[in-house]
Amino acid sequence: MTQVMITIVAPLDPADLATADAAIDRLGNPAATAIKTRLDVLDGDLGVHFMSLHALPSFTPGRAHLVLEFSADGDTARAIRQIVAAIGVELATVFALVKDWRGDDLAAYLTHRVVDAGYNLGQTPGLAHTGSPGMTVGRIRREAALAAEIDAMLATQPGGLTAMDRLRDVRTRFGEGSPFLNLGEAQPGFAAATLPAVAIAGIIAFARTYLWPFLILLGAWVFGAAWRSLDHAGVGRSIGLALLDGVWRGLKTGAPALGVILLATAAVIYGRLRNLETTDWISQKAPDPRTMGEILARENVCAQNHMMSLTELKAGWVRRFTLRLAFFAIAVAGPRLYKPGHLGPIGTIHFARWVTPPGTRDMIFFSNYGGSWEAYLEDFITLAHVGLTGVWSNTVGFPRTNNLVLAGATDGERFKRYARQSMRATRFWYSAYPELITDMIRSNAAIRRGLSGAMTEDDAATWLCAFGSALRPDEQLVSNEIQSLVFGGLGFLNYSGLTLWRLPDAAGEARAWLREVSRHVAYSDGRRLKEDDTIDAIVQVAISSRGLEALGLPVEGLASFPRTFLDDMGHEHRRRILGDVGPNAPEYWWWGRDPAHVAVIAYGETQAALDWMIAKLEAAGAAHGARCTHTVEMKTFDRADNLEPFGFADGGSQPVIRGTYKGQKSGDPLHLVAPGEFVLGYPDNRGNLPPGPCMAAIEDPENTLPVLNDSIDFSKTNVNNPRDLGRNGSYLAIRQLEQDVDAFDAYCAAEASRLRNRLGPPYRITADFIAAKLVGRWKNGSPLVRAPYSASADPRIIGENGFQLGLEDPEGLHCPFGAHIRRASPRDSLNPGSDDQIAISNRHRILRIGRKYAPKPGQKPGLLFMCLNGDLERQFEFIQQTWINGNVISLSCPTTLNGEHDPLLGAGRADNNGFTIPSRDGPVKLAAIPRFVTMRGGGYYFLPGKRLINYLIRRSPNGADCGTSTI
């Protein structure tokens, strides 16, 4: 339905302003009851949305205006007839005061005085905006009533219903014959245009709107050249050829000349305007107290407000043209860049308009908006200041601008003072729906559409959000579907062990085993488990690619997992990347050469609880033919003894996932990362939703396959693959690392003795000093960056992790470039102090959740290293290949690490070139480092979310149900 925004400007004698104000006051703001009652009457579905009437002075001497502005449905003629029929008597008493009133027909007079406002050259400069395009008054009111009725229905529904069940109940109450159930047109779509597309459209529109006079000149120039070319027509040359030659010569000479003239004119105008920007008068005038009192007396009486501003345009035709350009830019770019009904990114305006009465330097602005004036102005100052400045920079006294559209309105307090002192009290104002703001109008429309149009559970959940709740944001973790290891290492469950399983060949039995095990899988933040006295043992389940195949995951789903995961850790391609060569090669591993199907990590509050859980796993295996192929017993976890086998405090440098309990406590951007960096199905640090494993099409009558979060914008992912297997899951890398503590201690002692003998008495070099240089921290956790000379006793320094290596230690004099912590997480080393570099480094972080294992007879101590990743290749493998075993981890030291590797994890290789300790006197070189850490087993697993586990345990390959999960 068409909407019209009509502005009527009539001449008024300045001497009659007070009389006119008094006459308008009688109409009321809010509108008097009798007037509102008549204006509320609709013509079918059509009505008047808003109306105001003003008697205004003019900046042109001897002039004043009576201005009626209203927004209505239908065309101009119909809207004027409706208004005159409703309140023509009251309007006539006011318009009788204008200079040219002759007692004529009011409708004819109003039609005659309509101002044609726009940005075209033939129009009075102006612009209009509607926040509810195409919506009639009748529709807005009906949809509001419908929303209120449904809201009351929802309040009476019992608990335990799904979103779709609640919607079906509402539909049933309305009945099959309800007209509302046949009004489910699709939600209007909108996709913002690209900036190049907007620029191209703007250039075309600009040429069509403003350059046509120059094109006429060019046409005249070409015509003249063609006419002159007829003199050369004659024998051997036809008239046609002579004309074509003339046209070509006219274009060849006229177009460049015209272009030069245009560019020169634009340059002169721009230079003049830039010069005036530095000298234009800036108003410091405060609002008139009496006027402000009149304005405030009429504000905030309902959910909406009305404002009217009168400002003076700067002199000259150039300013008239730049004003048109500002309106043109808003009209052309706005609808292409922002959603319908929004002025820029702001959607609080119902109807607004700028208009310049003909023959004056007056610019009048009217706005009907939701909320308070202060909030309204702050939104524009923050979000749309370029548009504000572009328009009002053409008025006298506006705050200082830069290039016509910059600065200006960003001087927020000065701009608000300028706006307030330009305002006049709105003495008559009518609103057809005074308690509705634009967000409510849009929400009510969505409710009405969804009542018949919502077809899925996701649609229904979205529909319910219109009644005072909200969809889960894309980045908000669905905690109760994410295994607890993602939220931390479960340190309150001190006893743990890893069991590796081979599943039976029969997929049904494999699923039955997983069903039994899944009863004990813990989800959500470990704090909830800790608070539940009934839980003293849990498991976490991770499945390899072969395990997913054994469980009957369809081939198309398995193939959608990344190649890194499908290869597994021991594959020839992967071992070269990871440095698993020589003694670290898979042929020497204790386990993992033949990848297990499932890794189950059991945790218990006591040893007895852990033993009980292990027994449950073994019983499930015996019942369904699953076989435990290897176990790794972990040492009892003790927070008071958090030293890894070499004697260093462990676990200090960890990323924190935004949105978790830890993330809410830590806002340090150095370690805070987006959920999608570790958990699939969520935006990553760059705001993108990475693609994950999924199935394009599979029969799923029970809707057991996991689906994307209700609030996720499907334009960010592959809409052809809506079944997301990875949702709420993470990739788990497991490595059992044996540590030769004696060799480490002996090396540090020997190198300390050698350097003391070589460098002499002034240097107090100890074994602990060498060890700290290799690691980057003292054994108590004090970082060398903050405690370079000895371990600190200051609790603020011990375990400190909020430092920047590149900014605080660019020369590596405290923490060597090759130290373990600098390699494992270089932070800003490649570009000291750069936030961008920190962001790049955070793209390669891993979440460590491992523990020390209990060595069996003949084994050395070590760590069962486990880490979570959103992308195994970008995170874990990148760290191993590029940072742990690479040569360059600081731009300050690009070459001296040649042949060096991580002193802990990369040592003992054939190309080992020792370790460099930078100093003021030059590099100090340590001897070649023997192997301290040996790889003893590992693999890649997927830690699935709850819905994927439920799918795997309930379905067989042919779709038959395999039983019901107790989760």
Side-chain angles (χ1 to χ4, degrees):
M1 169 58 63
T2 303
Q3 293 174 338
V4 288
M5 298 180 66
I6 301 169
T7 307
I8 295 164
V9 180
L12 187 67
D13 192 314
D16 292 331
L17 281 171
T19 304
D21 280 343
I24 296 171
D25 267 334
R26 286 191 287 272
L27 305 182
N29 177 5
T33 302
I35 291 176
K36 177 172 173 54
T37 300
R38 280 176 270 148
L39 284 174
D40 280 345
V41 176
L42 302 181
D43 178 8
D45 218 26
L46 312 181
V48 179
H49 294 263
F50 294 91
M51 177 189 292
S52 70
L53 182 60
H54 309 264
L56 300 176
S58 172
F59 290 99
T60 302
R63 299 190 63 169
H65 315 291
L66 184 64
V67 183
L68 174 67
E69 58 94 17
F70 60 94
S71 305
D73 301 317
D75 58 35
T76 300
R78 194 217 64 80
I80 290 177
R81 286 197 305 271
Q82 183 177 13
I83 287 172
V84 170
I87 60 170
V89 173
E90 288 83 357
L91 288 180
T93 62
V94 182
F95 274 89
L97 299 172
V98 300
K99 290 182 177 181
D100 58 349
W101 179 253
R102 297 291 182 268
D104 301 333
D105 176 74
L106 179 61
Y109 181 81
L110 296 179
T111 302
H112 171 68
R113 282 296 180 180
V114 171
V115 175
D116 178 24
Y119 51 80
N120 290 309
L121 292 178
Q123 294 178 297
T124 298
L127 187 67
H129 166 76
T130 174
S132 51
M135 300 179 71
T136 64
V137 174
R139 172 182 166 180
I140 290 172
R141 288 176 178 169
R142 284 199 313 277
E143 289 177 343
L146 174 66
E149 186 176 357
I150 295 174
D151 189 45
M153 292 179 183
L154 295 174
T156 65
Q157 290 178 338
L161 298 178
T162 66
M164 199 66 202
D165 287 340
R166 300 188 75 182
L167 176 56
R168 290 192 187 104
D169 175 66
V170 171
R171 288 172 175 167
T172 300
R173 296 194 198 192
F174 274 107
E176 292 294 333
S178 171
F180 294 120
L181 298 183
N182 299 312
L183 295 174
E185 81 274 8
Q187 169 72 30
F190 174 77
T194 62
L195 289 178
V198 173
I200 292 172
I203 291 171
I204 295 172
F206 180 84
R208 185 174 59 246
T209 305
Y210 299 117
L211 297 185
W212 58 266
F214 298 95
L215 294 177
I216 292 175
L217 290 176
L218 179 62
W221 183 290
V222 170
F223 178 80
W227 183 264
R228 289 191 299 273
S229 70
L230 291 177
D231 294 339
H232 302 285
V235 179
R237 191 178 191 194
S238 67
I239 294 177
L241 288 175
L243 286 173
L244 287 175
D245 180 64
V247 169
W248 169 246
R249 284 189 291 107
L251 288 172
K252 189 166 61 173
T253 58
L258 193 58
V260 170
I261 292 172
L262 284 173
L263 290 175
T265 303
V268 170
I269 292 173
Y270 174 74
R272 174 62 176 162
L273 290 174
R274 289 289 287 136
N275 181 63
L276 289 174
E277 279 188 316
T278 63
T279 58
D280 279 342
W281 174 71
I282 305 302
S283 175
Q284 303 294 337
K285 182 180 178 181
D288 176 64
R290 179 180 175 182
T291 303
M292 277 302 303
E294 293 179 336
I295 293 171
L296 294 173
R298 294 165 171 85
E299 282 186 348
N300 303 313
V301 296
C302 62
Q304 306 159 354
N305 274 305
H306 181 273
M307 73 166 285
M308 193 284 301
S309 169
L310 174 63
T311 52
E312 181 183 10
L313 290 172
K314 293 176 180 176
W317 67 268
V318 172
R319 279 298 184 176
R320 287 297 182 109
F321 183 66
T322 55
L323 179 64
R324 291 181 192 275
L325 283 183
F327 292 147
F328 168 82
I330 294 171
V332 171
R336 291 173 170 84
L337 293 176
Y338 302 102
K339 292 183 291 186
H342 288 67
L343 194 58
I346 299 168
T348 54
I349 297 176
H350 292 270
F351 292 88
R353 75 196 73 191
W354 289 273
V355 64
T356 54
T360 72
R361 286 167 54 187
D362 303 329
M363 184 170 77
I364 308 173
F365 176 70
F366 301 100
S367 180
N368 301 277
Y369 60 93
S372 70
W373 183 86
E374 184 73 24
Y376 172 65
L377 262 288
E378 282 294 333
D379 282 349
F380 272 92
I381 289 168
T382 304
L383 301 174
H385 50 83
V386 171
L388 282 183
T389 304
V391 173
W392 270 287
S393 63
N394 298 288
T395 61
V396 175
F398 189 73
R400 186 79 60 201
T401 61
N402 179 15
N403 282 301
L404 304 182
V405 297
L406 302 178
T410 59
D411 187 352
E413 296 308 311
R414 181 169 280 103
F415 170 70
K416 284 189 285 187
R417 171 183 279 210
Y418 171 85
R420 273 300 197 192
Q421 64 90 14
S422 72
M423 289 173 61
R424 300 291 185 272
T426 300
R427 300 183 180 280
F428 166 65
W429 181 53
Y430 164 80
S431 170
Y433 33 85
E435 297 307 321
L436 296 179
I437 61 175
T438 50
D439 281 347
M440 296 168 65
I441 291 172
R442 297 180 190 115
S443 177
N444 293 340
I447 289 170
R448 196 262 304 156
R449 281 191 296 266
L451 182 60
S452 61
M455 304 302 293
T456 67
E457 183 69 19
D458 289 352
D459 292 341
T462 301
W463 182 76
L464 284 174
C465 286
F467 296 93
S469 60
L471 286 171
R472 184 184 297 269
D474 288 359
E475 67 276 4
Q476 184 68 40
L477 293 168
V478 186
S479 301
N480 62 356
E481 295 201 357
I482 301 171
Q483 293 196 51
S484 297
L485 264 181
V486 173
F487 301 95
L490 301 172
F492 61 93
L493 298 174
N494 296 359
Y495 299 85
S496 58
L498 169 71
T499 58
L500 301 169
W501 295 84
R502 176 166 291 280
L503 299 176
D505 293 336
E509 286 298 311
R511 290 174 182 269
W513 174 85
L514 180 60
R515 185 182 310 116
E516 294 299 318
V517 173
S518 69
R519 301 175 192 273
H520 309 291
V521 174
Y523 299 92
S524 194
D525 195 316
R527 292 178 303 124
R528 299 186 183 181
L529 301 177
K530 190 175 182 179
E531 294 166 359
D532 191 338
D533 295 334
T534 65
I535 298 176
D536 57 6
I538 58 98
V539 298
Q540 300 287 271
V541 172
I543 309 173
S544 70
S545 60
R546 295 186 184 182
L548 291 173
E549 183 179 9
L551 287 163
L553 185 69
V555 173
E556 64 170 308
L558 188 63
S560 69
F561 281 84
R563 177 62 182 270
T564 311
F565 171 72
L566 297 176
D567 281 349
D568 199 66
M569 189 178 288
H571 193 283
E572 179 183 358
H573 302 157
R574 315 261 66 94
R575 68 177 74 174
R576 291 199 301 269
I577 291 171
L578 299 174
D580 289 340
V581 296
N584 278 353
E587 51 264 34
Y588 301 109
W589 292 359
W590 296 336
W591 60 274
R593 294 187 299 275
D594 184 15
H597 288 156
V598 182
V600 180
I601 313 145
Y603 295 87
E605 197 168 10
T606 63
Q607 184 63 51
L610 177 64
D611 292 342
W612 176 85
M613 182 59 72
I614 297 296
K616 284 286 186 180
L617 295 176
E618 291 173 347
H624 300 290
R627 180 168 54 90
C628 180
T629 60
H630 193 81
T631 63
V632 180
E633 180 184 349
M634 258 76 98
K635 294 192 70 173
T636 304
F637 182 80
D638 184 357
R639 288 189 181 275
D641 178 23
N642 66 335
L643 305 181
E644 53 79 49
F646 290 142
F648 288 85
D650 194 24
S653 180
Q654 281 276 70
V656 178
I657 300 176
R658 186 182 293 114
T660 61
Y661 176 72
K662 292 180 181 177
Q664 293 168 1
K665 294 195 301 180
S666 172
D668 185 355
L670 195 64
H671 303 292
L672 196 63
V673 297
E677 295 295 323
F678 297 108
V679 189
L680 275 63
Y682 299 89
D684 59 19
N685 273 356
R686 294 178 177 171
N688 299 317
L689 187 68
C694 54
M695 286 193 286
I698 184 169
E699 185 181 355
D700 186 24
E702 298 184 17
N703 199 33
T704 55
L705 269 175
V707 295
L708 290 172
N709 186 21
D710 298 336
S711 65
I712 285 182
D713 181 356
F714 271 49
S715 66
K716 299 178 183 176
T717 186
N718 186 348
V719 295
N720 295 318
N721 295 315
R723 298 301 185 182
D724 187 354
L725 298 173
R727 177 74 173 165
N728 296 317
S730 184
Y731 293 102
L732 176 66
I734 305 178
R735 290 168 76 83
Q736 187 170 359
L737 303 174
E738 186 182 42
Q739 297 176 233
D740 192 337
V741 177
D742 293 339
F744 180 80
D745 290 342
Y747 176 84
C748 293
E751 284 303 289
S753 176
R754 182 178 68 83
L755 291 180
R756 281 197 304 271
N757 293 333
R758 183 169 76 84
L759 300 176
Y763 297 93
R764 294 180 297 175
I765 299 175
T766 65
D768 280 350
F769 174 82
I770 297 297
K773 289 293 185 181
L774 295 177
V775 174
R777 291 182 185 269
W778 298 94
K779 288 191 174 182
N780 73 345
S782 305
L784 290 179
V785 172
R786 299 286 169 83
Y789 307 114
S790 62
S792 174
D794 187 342
R796 294 173 299 178
I797 300 298
I798 297 174
E800 167 62 28
N801 197 34
F803 50 84
Q804 296 188 35
L805 290 161
L807 185 66
E808 299 181 45
D809 188 24
E811 300 172 272
L813 297 175
H814 297 162
C815 180
F817 296 119
H820 174 68
I821 71 164
R822 199 155 193 159
R823 284 183 172 277
S825 181
R827 308 181 191 213
D828 65 327
S829 290
L830 283 167
N831 192 355
S834 167
D835 290 339
D836 287 341
Q837 183 57 50
I838 290 173
I840 292 171
S841 295
N842 278 343
R843 290 276 290 166
H844 305 293
R845 300 294 294 274
I846 56 175
L847 194 62
R848 294 179 293 123
I849 50 174
R851 293 186 180 185
K852 290 180 284 188
Y853 65 81
K856 297 176 181 178
Q859 296 179 355
K860 295 181 177 67
L863 290 175
L864 185 69
F865 172 89
M866 297 188 292
C867 71
L868 295 170
N869 312 253
D871 186 322
L872 285 165
E873 194 168 20
R874 171 169 56 83
Q875 291 167 288
F876 172 69
E877 290 195 342
F878 176 91
I879 292 173
Q880 285 287 124
Q881 181 180 31
T882 305
W883 288 347
I884 296 297
N885 294 321
N887 292 326
V888 179
I889 47 87
S890 172
L891 292 181
S892 303
C893 183
T895 59
T896 57
L897 298 182
N898 186 32
E900 295 187 17
H901 307 287
D902 187 280
L904 301 185
L905 300 179
R909 291 171 49 145
D911 58 349
N912 187 349
N913 193 27
F915 184 84
T916 300
I917 302 177
S919 77
R920 291 292 184 199
D921 299 325
V924 176
K925 196 76 171 179
L926 300 187
I929 302 177
R931 184 177 301 279
F932 301 136
V933 178
T934 304
M935 173 72 174
R936 294 304 188 187
Y940 288 150
Y941 297 88
F942 185 68
L943 194 77
K946 179 185 287 186
R947 281 185 283 182
L948 177 55
I949 290 181
N950 283 351
Y951 168 68
L952 291 174
I953 66 178
R954 294 179 65 183
R955 309 249 346 242
S956 66
N958 63 5
D961 187 50
C962 291
T964 303
S965 168
T966 60
I967 295 179

